[in-house]
Amino acid sequence: MSRTVTSIALAAVLILAAWPASLDAADKKKRTGADPPLLVWPLPPDPPRIRFVTSYRSVDDFKQKKDARWRSLLLGPDTTRNVTQLLKPYGVAVARDGRVFVTDTVARRVFVFDPVAKVVRFVGENGPAKIVKPMGVAVDDAGRVFVADATLKRVFGYAPDGSLAVAIGHDGELQNPSGLAIDRQRQVLYVADAKKHQVLCYSSADGSFIRAVGKRGMEQGEFNFPTNLAVDREGHLYVADTLNFRVQVFDASGAVVKSIGTQGDGPGHLNRAKGVGVDSEGHVYIADTSFNNFQIFNADGAILLFVGATGAGPGEFLLPAGLFVDDEDRIYVADQGNARVQVFQRVSQRVP
């Protein structure tokens, strides 16, 4: 018995001796080594259009806890505490002040990454509106955060102080709320319901119902499992009509404007369109879980560029889902299989 205890203790000492050394070596390499290569798309000699910026994973993005690493190494993860790292992120939205809101369907939490304050907070943790399975997320100009809960079949709006401000969805009203988007100018909240094959429109001010758009089908204005949404600066609504292999575009009144994409396996085609976003110049970004990339289209629907491939490195994806383009034309992609959100920057091509 004493021999076994001695062996375990010796093994622990050896592990602890090696662990800090490996950390110090990695830290030293990080301090003294060359900067990582700049990742851009397309490849040179073509001028860059998209640049990789960073990624978000956990509360440790803004701080290091070496003691916690040692404890986890020896004793295993602390399962008594709430999950503090992304496990399977789905939705992403960014507030005017730069805070990044990420829903995670496995961690069952809404992460709030604040790159200015360098902290990570959480939304919807307590009370009757405690989140169970968060999907879509959106933020209005007043700082209210709206979260779609697929299990509770509700959409909750939280005030900046975290209190419940709005609750949407009477019994039977929503069947599977997923993607959310807000028309900030008109104060309209759009909710994609994959099972109802509709997009429902509500007032983001008080949650009152406005109208429903679409029904199940393949014609213009009809949907087959709509999943994610975006609103551009003119108030057009973009709907990832996932199993119709397209993104449909509607005006503020709900009338169809156009459709982007067709089914296929090459550039410009879609197979499992999920996240969608629009930049300041009207370019449309569509994440596709089958292709493990996002594609960029012009306003007329012509393919311009695709970014990414299957993998775990920067700029690579495994089942990308939600996508958001912020006011500075930064592109945020929920990389589900790699448990992170990747951030890219559109590179403006200004003529001197």
Side-chain angles (χ1 to χ4, degrees), residues 88-90 227-228 240 242-243 245 264 269-276 286-295 307 309-311 316-323 333-337:
K88 191 177 181 183
Y90 184 85
T227 54
N228 292 278
T242 301
L243 293 188
F245 317 107
H269 293 100
L270 301 174
N271 199 38
R272 286 295 184 274
K274 285 294 181 74
V276 58
I286 304 174
D288 196 301
T289 59
S290 288
F291 300 149
N292 288 318
N293 66 15
F294 65 86
Q295 300 185 72
V307 174
T310 303
E316 297 176 336
F317 300 98
L318 188 59
L319 302 177
L323 183 151
V333 184
D335 187 5
Q336 292 184 104

Side-chain angles (χ1 to χ4, degrees), residues 2-71:
S2 62
R3 230 179 247 179
T4 303
V5 172
T6 303
S7 299
I8 293 174
L10 180 59
V13 170
L14 290 174
I15 291 172
L16 283 174
W19 182 252
S22 64
L23 286 176
D24 291 342
D27 290 342
K28 184 176 180 181
K29 183 177 181 181
K30 192 178 291 185
R31 289 194 302 268
T32 61
D35 291 335
L38 187 66
L39 287 177
V40 295
W41 293 263
L43 294 173
D46 293 326
R49 303 292 180 176
I50 300 294
R51 173 173 56 86
F52 175 78
V53 177
T54 189
S55 61
Y56 295 111
R57 294 178 180 272
S58 73
V59 296
D60 291 331
D61 287 346
F62 302 118
K63 57 185 176 181
Q64 295 296 326
K65 295 182 178 180
K66 292 185 180 180
D67 289 344
R69 288 184 183 182
W70 293 356
R71 178 181 177 85

Side-chain angles (χ1 to χ4, degrees), residues 144-214:
R144 284 185 297 184
V145 183
F146 295 84
V147 181
D149 192 308
T151 297
L152 298 179
K153 301 179 181 179
R154 299 286 191 274
V155 175
F156 297 120
Y158 300 93
D161 65 0
S163 62
L164 180 64
V166 178
I168 295 172
H170 300 290
D171 287 344
E173 184 175 352
L174 299 173
Q175 294 181 17
N176 186 22
S178 52
L180 301 181
I182 287 183
D183 184 335
R184 291 170 171 170
Q185 182 180 353
R186 296 170 180 81
Q187 292 189 307
V188 176
L189 172 69
Y190 295 100
V191 181
D193 193 314
K195 285 187 177 179
K196 293 187 76 171
H197 306 285
Q198 288 183 321
V199 175
L200 295 96
C201 313
Y202 299 88
S203 165
S204 62
D206 59 17
S208 58
F209 178 76
I210 299 174
R211 63 176 175 272
V213 176

Side-chain angles (χ1 to χ4, degrees), residues 262-284:
T262 56
Q263 186 179 19
D265 57 5
H269 293 100
L270 301 174
N271 199 38
R272 286 295 184 274
K274 285 294 181 74
V276 58
V278 188
D279 69 21
S280 62
E281 294 185 359
H283 303 119
V284 182

